[in-house]
Amino acid sequence: MDIYDNLLEVLHHEYDNIKLLKKSERGETSLVRHRDSGTPYIFKHFYGNSEVYQKLLPVSCPNLPQIMEVGEKEGKVALLEEYVKGDNLGEILEGSLLTTEEAKQIVQQLCSALWVLHSRGIVHRDVKPDNIIIRGNEAVLIDFDASRIHKSENQEDTQILGTTGFAAPEQYGLSQSDARADIYAVGVLLNVMLTGEHPSGKLASGRMGRIVQRCTMVNPAKRYKNILHLSEVL
């Protein structure tokens, strides 16, 4: 029995399905619970490619969910990942803005998560408040549904994915998105945390505003050269 079939078999016999979180033509995301331990996990079953998740299997980072197991068969992917319990940043921002120090701390932790991804050739492509969970003092970047492996031979992305407002211009087919697309999204996120608005509507004041401007340059070559550079500037 291969990993894909084995994972589905184990899910059926050892886990309870608690809640359907998301459903689309591509597949489903559910909250499940291990019957013996009571530990909750996220289970995803979808049509697609497991390449990103395979690269994340051996990774352990406090700012990313742990991928427990992943299998692929005939174009379908089954995977089990850590359930990150905490407050969704999108919901937090509905009620209030963050201080500069709070926003900087979150961005620093996102930079740590993105450095792990970028060092493995992974572009997240959907950094936004709804994909960030605040777990105690940790910001955890979740949801790799739009993520892809950067392939230097490609001229553009094979699929246009991302969230309007946070997606970099190149994600709309202008060129292939790379790590600098995530830097663009982090810049928008920083501005939203401080002002409640996209930088095109209201730019954060002072030094934070200048950092946002550099992150969100239309030309990727004019943004920070990598996520570590952005972290150092902060």
Side-chain angles (χ1 to χ4, degrees):
M1 185 181 293
D2 58 29
I3 294 175
Y4 176 89
D5 289 329
N6 183 64
L7 183 52
L8 293 182
E9 184 80 7
V10 168
L11 258 292
H12 178 71
H13 291 290
E14 299 182 16
Y15 291 78
D16 292 319
N17 195 1
I18 304 303
K19 184 180 181 181
L20 179 65
L21 300 176
K22 186 165 63 174
K23 185 174 183 177
S24 67
E25 293 181 359
R26 191 168 176 239
E28 297 181 352
T29 299
S30 301
L31 177 65
V32 300
R33 182 169 58 214
H34 190 264
R35 288 174 191 156
D36 291 340
S37 69
T39 305
Y41 294 92
I42 295 295
F43 175 64
K44 294 188 177 186
H45 196 200
F46 61 92
Y47 289 100
N49 189 305
S50 67
E51 193 175 16
V52 167
Y53 292 99
Q54 296 285 357
K55 282 182 172 285
L56 291 175
L57 259 178
V59 171
S60 179
C61 171
N63 306 113
L64 292 169
Q66 181 73 50
I67 307 301
M68 314 306 294
E69 190 61 272
V70 58
E72 181 177 351
K73 184 177 183 179
E74 298 173 356
K76 289 205 78 175
V77 177
L79 74 95
L80 193 67
E81 73 176 53
E82 174 190 8
Y83 169 64
V84 181
K85 187 176 182 179
D87 298 315
N88 185 281
L89 181 59
E91 295 176 357
I92 293 172
L93 293 175
E94 287 177 5
S96 63
L97 300 178
L98 302 186
T99 67
T100 299
E101 285 307 311
E102 288 170 336
K104 280 172 61 176
Q105 181 179 352
I106 288 172
V107 171
Q108 289 279 20
Q109 294 179 348
L110 291 179
C111 287
S112 296
L114 289 169
W115 176 247
V116 171
L117 299 182
H118 295 169
S119 63
R120 287 159 178 78
I122 301 168
V123 188
H124 188 278
R125 293 207 303 167
D126 204 16
V127 177
K128 61 181 180 179
D130 289 346
N131 283 341
I132 298 162
I133 303 296
I134 306 301
R135 176 176 58 188
N137 293 320
E138 294 174 339
V140 185
L141 180 62
I142 63 169
D143 198 343
F144 307 104
D145 287 355
S147 302
R148 63 185 297 279
I149 306 295
H150 179 264
K151 295 180 171 64
S152 57
E153 69 275 12
N154 291 357
Q155 295 300 309
E156 58 185 46
D157 293 351
T158 52
Q159 268 189 303
I160 297 174
L161 291 171
T163 299
T164 302
F166 290 88
E170 58 268 27
Q171 287 179 242
Y172 294 97
L174 299 179
S175 62
Q176 185 188 189
S177 55
D178 57 24
R180 295 169 298 182
D182 288 339
I183 291 174
Y184 181 98
V186 169
V188 175
L189 175 69
L190 176 58
N191 201 80
V192 168
M193 289 191 289
L194 295 173
T195 71
E197 296 185 31
H198 190 276
S200 62
K202 180 181 180 181
L203 184 66
S205 60
R207 186 166 177 269
M208 290 299 103
R210 292 192 291 274
I211 291 174
V212 169
Q213 282 184 310
R214 176 83 180 270
C215 288
T216 56
M217 297 295 288
V218 172
N219 184 348
K222 293 185 177 181
R223 299 172 201 157
Y224 294 104
K225 60 183 178 181
N226 58 48
I227 204 71
L228 281 186
H229 188 198
L230 171 58
S231 182
E232 289 166 3
V233 168
L234 283 166

